[in-house]
PDB file of all heavy atoms in Angstrom:
ATOM      1  N   ARG A  22      23.269 -71.311  53.212  1.00 93.00           N
ATOM      2  CA  ARG A  22      23.586 -70.209  52.315  1.00 93.00           C
ATOM      3  C   ARG A  22      22.694 -68.993  52.510  1.00 93.00           C
ATOM      4  O   ARG A  22      23.060 -67.889  52.096  1.00 93.00           O
ATOM      5  CB  ARG A  22      23.479 -70.683  50.865  1.00 93.00           C
ATOM      6  CG  ARG A  22      24.455 -71.792  50.517  1.00 93.00           C
ATOM      7  CD  ARG A  22      25.874 -71.280  50.399  1.00 93.00           C
ATOM      8  NE  ARG A  22      26.835 -72.334  50.136  1.00 93.00           N
ATOM      9  CZ  ARG A  22      27.096 -72.840  48.937  1.00 93.00           C
ATOM     10  NH1 ARG A  22      26.448 -72.384  47.875  1.00 93.00           N
ATOM     11  NH2 ARG A  22      27.989 -73.786  48.786  1.00 93.00           N
ATOM     12  N   ASN A  23      21.514 -69.163  53.097  1.00 95.00           N
ATOM     13  CA  ASN A  23      20.593 -68.033  53.266  1.00 95.00           C
ATOM     14  C   ASN A  23      20.394 -67.619  54.711  1.00 95.00           C
ATOM     15  O   ASN A  23      20.072 -66.462  54.981  1.00 95.00           O
ATOM     16  CB  ASN A  23      19.233 -68.353  52.651  1.00 95.00           C
ATOM     17  CG  ASN A  23      19.321 -68.597  51.161  1.00 95.00           C
ATOM     18  OD1 ASN A  23      19.236 -69.725  50.714  1.00 95.00           O
ATOM     19  ND2 ASN A  23      19.519 -67.555  50.384  1.00 95.00           N
ATOM     20  N   LEU A  24      20.561 -68.571  55.639  1.00 96.00           N
ATOM     21  CA  LEU A  24      20.336 -68.254  57.053  1.00 96.00           C
ATOM     22  C   LEU A  24      21.618 -68.306  57.873  1.00 96.00           C
ATOM     23  O   LEU A  24      21.666 -67.753  58.969  1.00 96.00           O
ATOM     24  CB  LEU A  24      19.301 -69.216  57.657  1.00 96.00           C
ATOM     25  CG  LEU A  24      17.943 -69.285  56.967  1.00 96.00           C
ATOM     26  CD1 LEU A  24      17.018 -70.237  57.723  1.00 96.00           C
ATOM     27  CD2 LEU A  24      17.316 -67.913  56.848  1.00 96.00           C
ATOM     28  N   GLY A  25      22.651 -68.977  57.375  1.00 94.00           N
ATOM     29  CA  GLY A  25      23.902 -69.070  58.119  1.00 94.00           C
ATOM     30  C   GLY A  25      23.769 -69.798  59.432  1.00 94.00           C
ATOM     31  O   GLY A  25      24.456 -69.477  60.396  1.00 94.00           O
ATOM     32  N   MET A  26      22.896 -70.829  59.469  1.00 94.00           N
ATOM     33  CA  MET A  26      22.592 -71.493  60.730  1.00 94.00           C
ATOM     34  C   MET A  26      23.300 -72.833  60.895  1.00 94.00           C
ATOM     35  O   MET A  26      23.018 -73.561  61.855  1.00 94.00           O
ATOM     36  CB  MET A  26      21.078 -71.681  60.872  1.00 94.00           C
ATOM     37  CG  MET A  26      20.316 -70.377  60.985  1.00 94.00           C
ATOM     38  SD  MET A  26      18.637 -70.605  61.548  1.00 94.00           S
ATOM     39  CE  MET A  26      18.897 -71.149  63.233  1.00 94.00           C
ATOM     40  N   LEU A  27      24.201 -73.170  59.977  1.00 92.00           N
ATOM     41  CA  LEU A  27      24.938 -74.426  60.090  1.00 92.00           C
ATOM     42  C   LEU A  27      26.413 -74.126  60.352  1.00 92.00           C
ATOM     43  O   LEU A  27      27.025 -73.312  59.663  1.00 92.00           O
ATOM     44  CB  LEU A  27      24.799 -75.245  58.804  1.00 92.00           C
ATOM     45  CG  LEU A  27      23.364 -75.606  58.383  1.00 92.00           C
ATOM     46  CD1 LEU A  27      23.387 -76.524  57.170  1.00 92.00           C
ATOM     47  CD2 LEU A  27      22.596 -76.244  59.526  1.00 92.00           C
ATOM     48  N   THR A  28      26.969 -74.803  61.335  1.00 89.00           N
ATOM     49  CA  THR A  28      28.354 -74.605  61.710  1.00 89.00           C
ATOM     50  C   THR A  28      29.277 -74.977  60.550  1.00 89.00           C
ATOM     51  O   THR A  28      29.101 -76.027  59.919  1.00 89.00           O
ATOM     52  CB  THR A  28      28.712 -75.471  62.934  1.00 89.00           C
ATOM     53  OG1 THR A  28      27.714 -75.285  63.934  1.00 89.00           O
ATOM     54  CG2 THR A  28      30.073 -75.094  63.485  1.00 89.00           C
ATOM     55  N   LYS A  29      30.260 -74.142  60.282  1.00 86.00           N
ATOM     56  CA  LYS A  29      31.212 -74.402  59.203  1.00 86.00           C
ATOM     57  C   LYS A  29      32.547 -74.848  59.792  1.00 86.00           C
ATOM     58  O   LYS A  29      33.072 -74.221  60.710  1.00 86.00           O
ATOM     59  CB  LYS A  29      31.403 -73.144  58.337  1.00 86.00           C
ATOM     60  CG  LYS A  29      30.134 -72.702  57.622  1.00 86.00           C
ATOM     61  CD  LYS A  29      30.381 -71.537  56.700  1.00 86.00           C
ATOM     62  CE  LYS A  29      31.058 -71.980  55.434  1.00 86.00           C
ATOM     63  NZ  LYS A  29      31.091 -70.884  54.421  1.00 86.00           N
ATOM     64  N   PHE A  30      33.081 -75.943  59.220  1.00 82.00           N
ATOM     65  CA  PHE A  30      34.360 -76.478  59.681  1.00 82.00           C
ATOM     66  C   PHE A  30      35.429 -76.425  58.595  1.00 82.00           C
ATOM     67  O   PHE A  30      36.599 -76.626  58.873  1.00 82.00           O
ATOM     68  CB  PHE A  30      34.193 -77.933  60.141  1.00 82.00           C
ATOM     69  CG  PHE A  30      33.288 -78.086  61.324  1.00 82.00           C
ATOM     70  CD1 PHE A  30      32.009 -78.584  61.171  1.00 82.00           C
ATOM     71  CD2 PHE A  30      33.709 -77.724  62.592  1.00 82.00           C
ATOM     72  CE1 PHE A  30      31.166 -78.735  62.266  1.00 82.00           C
ATOM     73  CE2 PHE A  30      32.874 -77.865  63.686  1.00 82.00           C
ATOM     74  CZ  PHE A  30      31.595 -78.370  63.523  1.00 82.00           C
ATOM     75  N   GLY A  31      35.035 -76.198  57.367  1.00 73.00           N
ATOM     76  CA  GLY A  31      35.997 -76.214  56.271  1.00 73.00           C
ATOM     77  C   GLY A  31      35.427 -75.545  55.055  1.00 73.00           C
ATOM     78  O   GLY A  31      34.407 -74.851  55.120  1.00 73.00           O
ATOM     79  N   ASP A  32      36.061 -75.794  53.917  1.00 65.00           N
ATOM     80  CA  ASP A  32      35.688 -75.088  52.696  1.00 65.00           C
ATOM     81  C   ASP A  32      34.433 -75.656  52.047  1.00 65.00           C
ATOM     82  O   ASP A  32      33.638 -74.921  51.487  1.00 65.00           O
ATOM     83  CB  ASP A  32      36.844 -75.138  51.690  1.00 65.00           C
ATOM     84  CG  ASP A  32      38.041 -74.346  52.183  1.00 65.00           C
ATOM     85  OD1 ASP A  32      37.829 -73.403  52.953  1.00 65.00           O
ATOM     86  OD2 ASP A  32      39.176 -74.682  51.803  1.00 65.00           O
ATOM     87  N   HIS A  33      34.234 -76.969  52.083  1.00 66.00           N
ATOM     88  CA  HIS A  33      33.122 -77.558  51.342  1.00 66.00           C
ATOM     89  C   HIS A  33      32.455 -78.640  52.171  1.00 66.00           C
ATOM     90  O   HIS A  33      33.110 -79.489  52.768  1.00 66.00           O
ATOM     91  CB  HIS A  33      33.610 -78.156  50.023  1.00 66.00           C
ATOM     92  CG  HIS A  33      32.518 -78.257  48.992  1.00 66.00           C
ATOM     93  ND1 HIS A  33      31.488 -79.170  49.098  1.00 66.00           N
ATOM     94  CD2 HIS A  33      32.291 -77.569  47.859  1.00 66.00           C
ATOM     95  CE1 HIS A  33      30.665 -79.031  48.066  1.00 66.00           C
ATOM     96  NE2 HIS A  33      31.131 -78.065  47.301  1.00 66.00           N
ATOM     97  N   ILE A  34      31.129 -78.607  52.183  1.00 67.00           N
ATOM     98  CA  ILE A  34      30.383 -79.540  53.027  1.00 67.00           C
ATOM     99  C   ILE A  34      30.591 -80.992  52.606  1.00 67.00           C
ATOM    100  O   ILE A  34      30.417 -81.901  53.411  1.00 67.00           O
ATOM    101  CB  ILE A  34      28.875 -79.200  53.020  1.00 67.00           C
ATOM    102  CG1 ILE A  34      28.287 -79.307  51.615  1.00 67.00           C
ATOM    103  CG2 ILE A  34      28.634 -77.834  53.600  1.00 67.00           C
ATOM    104  CD1 ILE A  34      26.789 -79.123  51.579  1.00 67.00           C
ATOM    105  N   LYS A  35      30.979 -81.235  51.351  1.00 65.00           N
ATOM    106  CA  LYS A  35      31.204 -82.607  50.893  1.00 65.00           C
ATOM    107  C   LYS A  35      32.413 -83.235  51.581  1.00 65.00           C
ATOM    108  O   LYS A  35      32.555 -84.463  51.592  1.00 65.00           O
ATOM    109  CB  LYS A  35      31.388 -82.627  49.379  1.00 65.00           C
ATOM    110  CG  LYS A  35      30.123 -82.290  48.599  1.00 65.00           C
ATOM    111  CD  LYS A  35      30.359 -82.372  47.103  1.00 65.00           C
ATOM    112  CE  LYS A  35      29.089 -82.048  46.336  1.00 65.00           C
ATOM    113  NZ  LYS A  35      29.286 -82.094  44.863  1.00 65.00           N
ATOM    114  N   ASN A  36      33.281 -82.410  52.151  1.00 72.00           N
ATOM    115  CA  ASN A  36      34.478 -82.918  52.815  1.00 72.00           C
ATOM    116  C   ASN A  36      34.273 -83.128  54.306  1.00 72.00           C
ATOM    117  O   ASN A  36      35.201 -83.549  54.996  1.00 72.00           O
ATOM    118  CB  ASN A  36      35.648 -81.949  52.599  1.00 72.00           C
ATOM    119  CG  ASN A  36      35.979 -81.760  51.134  1.00 72.00           C
ATOM    120  OD1 ASN A  36      35.875 -82.696  50.337  1.00 72.00           O
ATOM    121  ND2 ASN A  36      36.386 -80.550  50.757  1.00 72.00           N
ATOM    122  N   TYR A  37      33.076 -82.852  54.818  1.00 76.00           N
ATOM    123  CA  TYR A  37      32.841 -82.991  56.248  1.00 76.00           C
ATOM    124  C   TYR A  37      32.665 -84.463  56.626  1.00 76.00           C
ATOM    125  O   TYR A  37      32.061 -85.245  55.896  1.00 76.00           O
ATOM    126  CB  TYR A  37      31.589 -82.219  56.666  1.00 76.00           C
ATOM    127  CG  TYR A  37      31.720 -80.715  56.603  1.00 76.00           C
ATOM    128  CD1 TYR A  37      30.617 -79.894  56.768  1.00 76.00           C
ATOM    129  CD2 TYR A  37      32.949 -80.103  56.391  1.00 76.00           C
ATOM    130  CE1 TYR A  37      30.732 -78.510  56.719  1.00 76.00           C
ATOM    131  CE2 TYR A  37      33.069 -78.726  56.334  1.00 76.00           C
ATOM    132  CZ  TYR A  37      31.958 -77.939  56.500  1.00 76.00           C
ATOM    133  OH  TYR A  37      32.083 -76.573  56.446  1.00 76.00           O
ATOM    134  N   SER A  38      33.174 -84.805  57.797  1.00 76.00           N
ATOM    135  CA  SER A  38      32.971 -86.152  58.335  1.00 76.00           C
ATOM    136  C   SER A  38      31.544 -86.269  58.875  1.00 76.00           C
ATOM    137  O   SER A  38      30.871 -85.256  59.114  1.00 76.00           O
ATOM    138  CB  SER A  38      33.966 -86.417  59.456  1.00 76.00           C
ATOM    139  OG  SER A  38      33.661 -85.589  60.581  1.00 76.00           O
ATOM    140  N   PRO A  39      31.068 -87.502  59.093  1.00 78.00           N
ATOM    141  CA  PRO A  39      29.727 -87.658  59.698  1.00 78.00           C
ATOM    142  C   PRO A  39      29.599 -86.934  61.033  1.00 78.00           C
ATOM    143  O   PRO A  39      28.556 -86.360  61.334  1.00 78.00           O
ATOM    144  CB  PRO A  39      29.602 -89.178  59.865  1.00 78.00           C
ATOM    145  CG  PRO A  39      30.490 -89.744  58.797  1.00 78.00           C
ATOM    146  CD  PRO A  39      31.643 -88.791  58.697  1.00 78.00           C
ATOM    147  N   LEU A  40      30.681 -86.945  61.843  1.00 78.00           N
ATOM    148  CA  LEU A  40      30.630 -86.265  63.138  1.00 78.00           C
ATOM    149  C   LEU A  40      30.512 -84.755  62.951  1.00 78.00           C
ATOM    150  O   LEU A  40      29.744 -84.087  63.652  1.00 78.00           O
ATOM    151  CB  LEU A  40      31.882 -86.601  63.953  1.00 78.00           C
ATOM    152  CG  LEU A  40      31.894 -86.064  65.393  1.00 78.00           C
ATOM    153  CD1 LEU A  40      30.749 -86.672  66.199  1.00 78.00           C
ATOM    154  CD2 LEU A  40      33.247 -86.379  66.053  1.00 78.00           C
ATOM    155  N   GLN A  41      31.266 -84.208  62.008  1.00 76.00           N
ATOM    156  CA  GLN A  41      31.168 -82.774  61.722  1.00 76.00           C
ATOM    157  C   GLN A  41      29.774 -82.416  61.214  1.00 76.00           C
ATOM    158  O   GLN A  41      29.206 -81.389  61.595  1.00 76.00           O
ATOM    159  CB  GLN A  41      32.226 -82.371  60.702  1.00 76.00           C
ATOM    160  CG  GLN A  41      33.636 -82.313  61.247  1.00 76.00           C
ATOM    161  CD  GLN A  41      34.652 -82.001  60.176  1.00 76.00           C
ATOM    162  OE1 GLN A  41      34.556 -82.478  59.043  1.00 76.00           O
ATOM    163  NE2 GLN A  41      35.641 -81.185  60.516  1.00 76.00           N
ATOM    164  N   THR A  42      29.225 -83.250  60.352  1.00 75.00           N
ATOM    165  CA  THR A  42      27.885 -83.005  59.826  1.00 75.00           C
ATOM    166  C   THR A  42      26.862 -82.989  60.954  1.00 75.00           C
ATOM    167  O   THR A  42      25.947 -82.155  60.977  1.00 75.00           O
ATOM    168  CB  THR A  42      27.511 -84.076  58.788  1.00 75.00           C
ATOM    169  OG1 THR A  42      28.469 -84.044  57.720  1.00 75.00           O
ATOM    170  CG2 THR A  42      26.122 -83.838  58.222  1.00 75.00           C
ATOM    171  N   PHE A  43      27.031 -83.897  61.932  1.00 75.00           N
ATOM    172  CA  PHE A  43      26.127 -83.924  63.079  1.00 75.00           C
ATOM    173  C   PHE A  43      26.230 -82.626  63.872  1.00 75.00           C
ATOM    174  O   PHE A  43      25.217 -82.029  64.257  1.00 75.00           O
ATOM    175  CB  PHE A  43      26.450 -85.122  63.980  1.00 75.00           C
ATOM    176  CG  PHE A  43      25.661 -85.137  65.267  1.00 75.00           C
ATOM    177  CD1 PHE A  43      24.360 -85.603  65.290  1.00 75.00           C
ATOM    178  CD2 PHE A  43      26.225 -84.664  66.447  1.00 75.00           C
ATOM    179  CE1 PHE A  43      23.624 -85.606  66.467  1.00 75.00           C
ATOM    180  CE2 PHE A  43      25.500 -84.664  67.633  1.00 75.00           C
ATOM    181  CZ  PHE A  43      24.196 -85.138  67.634  1.00 75.00           C
ATOM    182  N   PHE A  44      27.452 -82.175  64.116  1.00 75.00           N
ATOM    183  CA  PHE A  44      27.639 -80.974  64.932  1.00 75.00           C
ATOM    184  C   PHE A  44      27.314 -79.687  64.172  1.00 75.00           C
ATOM    185  O   PHE A  44      27.366 -78.605  64.759  1.00 75.00           O
ATOM    186  CB  PHE A  44      29.058 -80.927  65.500  1.00 75.00           C
ATOM    187  CG  PHE A  44      29.230 -81.748  66.739  1.00 75.00           C
ATOM    188  CD1 PHE A  44      29.929 -82.945  66.706  1.00 75.00           C
ATOM    189  CD2 PHE A  44      28.654 -81.341  67.932  1.00 75.00           C
ATOM    190  CE1 PHE A  44      30.066 -83.711  67.844  1.00 75.00           C
ATOM    191  CE2 PHE A  44      28.787 -82.103  69.080  1.00 75.00           C
ATOM    192  CZ  PHE A  44      29.501 -83.297  69.045  1.00 75.00           C
ATOM    193  N   ARG A  45      26.991 -79.809  62.904  1.00 79.00           N
ATOM    194  CA  ARG A  45      26.464 -78.639  62.206  1.00 79.00           C
ATOM    195  C   ARG A  45      25.055 -78.307  62.715  1.00 79.00           C
ATOM    196  O   ARG A  45      24.558 -77.211  62.514  1.00 79.00           O
ATOM    197  CB  ARG A  45      26.405 -78.893  60.699  1.00 79.00           C
ATOM    198  CG  ARG A  45      27.743 -79.271  60.082  1.00 79.00           C
ATOM    199  CD  ARG A  45      27.691 -79.142  58.585  1.00 79.00           C
ATOM    200  NE  ARG A  45      27.898 -77.764  58.227  1.00 79.00           N
ATOM    201  CZ  ARG A  45      27.501 -77.213  57.088  1.00 79.00           C
ATOM    202  NH1 ARG A  45      26.839 -77.917  56.203  1.00 79.00           N
ATOM    203  NH2 ARG A  45      27.749 -75.944  56.832  1.00 79.00           N
ATOM    204  N   MET A  46      24.403 -79.265  63.323  1.00 78.00           N
ATOM    205  CA  MET A  46      23.098 -79.125  63.963  1.00 78.00           C
ATOM    206  C   MET A  46      21.980 -78.667  63.024  1.00 78.00           C
ATOM    207  O   MET A  46      21.198 -77.758  63.364  1.00 78.00           O
ATOM    208  CB  MET A  46      23.182 -78.177  65.162  1.00 78.00           C
ATOM    209  CG  MET A  46      24.074 -78.692  66.270  1.00 78.00           C
ATOM    210  SD  MET A  46      24.003 -77.722  67.789  1.00 78.00           S
ATOM    211  CE  MET A  46      24.772 -76.195  67.283  1.00 78.00           C
ATOM    212  N   PRO A  47      21.857 -79.278  61.848  1.00 87.00           N
ATOM    213  CA  PRO A  47      20.762 -78.862  60.966  1.00 87.00           C
ATOM    214  C   PRO A  47      19.396 -79.253  61.498  1.00 87.00           C
ATOM    215  O   PRO A  47      18.390 -78.618  61.165  1.00 87.00           O
ATOM    216  CB  PRO A  47      21.077 -79.607  59.659  1.00 87.00           C
ATOM    217  CG  PRO A  47      21.857 -80.806  60.084  1.00 87.00           C
ATOM    218  CD  PRO A  47      22.679 -80.350  61.246  1.00 87.00           C
ATOM    219  N   PHE A  48      19.366 -80.306  62.326  1.00 91.00           N
ATOM    220  CA  PHE A  48      18.084 -80.816  62.826  1.00 91.00           C
ATOM    221  C   PHE A  48      17.373 -79.809  63.710  1.00 91.00           C
ATOM    222  O   PHE A  48      16.143 -79.732  63.734  1.00 91.00           O
ATOM    223  CB  PHE A  48      18.304 -82.121  63.596  1.00 91.00           C
ATOM    224  CG  PHE A  48      19.369 -82.014  64.652  1.00 91.00           C
ATOM    225  CD1 PHE A  48      19.059 -81.564  65.932  1.00 91.00           C
ATOM    226  CD2 PHE A  48      20.679 -82.359  64.372  1.00 91.00           C
ATOM    227  CE1 PHE A  48      20.044 -81.451  66.904  1.00 91.00           C
ATOM    228  CE2 PHE A  48      21.670 -82.259  65.348  1.00 91.00           C
ATOM    229  CZ  PHE A  48      21.348 -81.801  66.616  1.00 91.00           C
ATOM    230  N   LEU A  49      18.126 -78.997  64.460  1.00 94.00           N
ATOM    231  CA  LEU A  49      17.486 -78.089  65.422  1.00 94.00           C
ATOM    232  C   LEU A  49      16.675 -76.993  64.734  1.00 94.00           C
ATOM    233  O   LEU A  49      15.490 -76.815  65.051  1.00 94.00           O
ATOM    234  CB  LEU A  49      18.539 -77.499  66.361  1.00 94.00           C
ATOM    235  CG  LEU A  49      17.986 -76.603  67.477  1.00 94.00           C
ATOM    236  CD1 LEU A  49      17.015 -77.373  68.359  1.00 94.00           C
ATOM    237  CD2 LEU A  49      19.125 -76.030  68.319  1.00 94.00           C
ATOM    238  N   PRO A  50      17.252 -76.202  63.802  1.00 96.00           N
ATOM    239  CA  PRO A  50      16.418 -75.196  63.141  1.00 96.00           C
ATOM    240  C   PRO A  50      15.284 -75.799  62.321  1.00 96.00           C
ATOM    241  O   PRO A  50      14.211 -75.200  62.224  1.00 96.00           O
ATOM    242  CB  PRO A  50      17.402 -74.437  62.244  1.00 96.00           C
ATOM    243  CG  PRO A  50      18.587 -75.320  62.106  1.00 96.00           C
ATOM    244  CD  PRO A  50      18.667 -76.103  63.375  1.00 96.00           C
ATOM    245  N   ILE A  51      15.500 -76.992  61.757  1.00 95.00           N
ATOM    246  CA  ILE A  51      14.434 -77.636  60.990  1.00 95.00           C
ATOM    247  C   ILE A  51      13.266 -77.979  61.907  1.00 95.00           C
ATOM    248  O   ILE A  51      12.102 -77.723  61.585  1.00 95.00           O
ATOM    249  CB  ILE A  51      14.963 -78.900  60.281  1.00 95.00           C
ATOM    250  CG1 ILE A  51      15.932 -78.509  59.152  1.00 95.00           C
ATOM    251  CG2 ILE A  51      13.808 -79.723  59.721  1.00 95.00           C
ATOM    252  CD1 ILE A  51      16.643 -79.687  58.525  1.00 95.00           C
ATOM    253  N   ILE A  52      13.570 -78.543  63.084  1.00 96.00           N
ATOM    254  CA  ILE A  52      12.513 -78.890  64.044  1.00 96.00           C
ATOM    255  C   ILE A  52      11.812 -77.635  64.544  1.00 96.00           C
ATOM    256  O   ILE A  52      10.572 -77.582  64.621  1.00 96.00           O
ATOM    257  CB  ILE A  52      13.102 -79.700  65.220  1.00 96.00           C
ATOM    258  CG1 ILE A  52      13.566 -81.080  64.738  1.00 96.00           C
ATOM    259  CG2 ILE A  52      12.065 -79.845  66.336  1.00 96.00           C
ATOM    260  CD1 ILE A  52      14.351 -81.853  65.784  1.00 96.00           C
TER     261      ILE A  52
END
């Protein structure tokens, strides 16, 4: 919501599959 660094696939993150959540790549900016 503040950096726009996670890939968006749909309207709400609660509806994302585990694979989609992985490809959002949150681990990279955190690391």
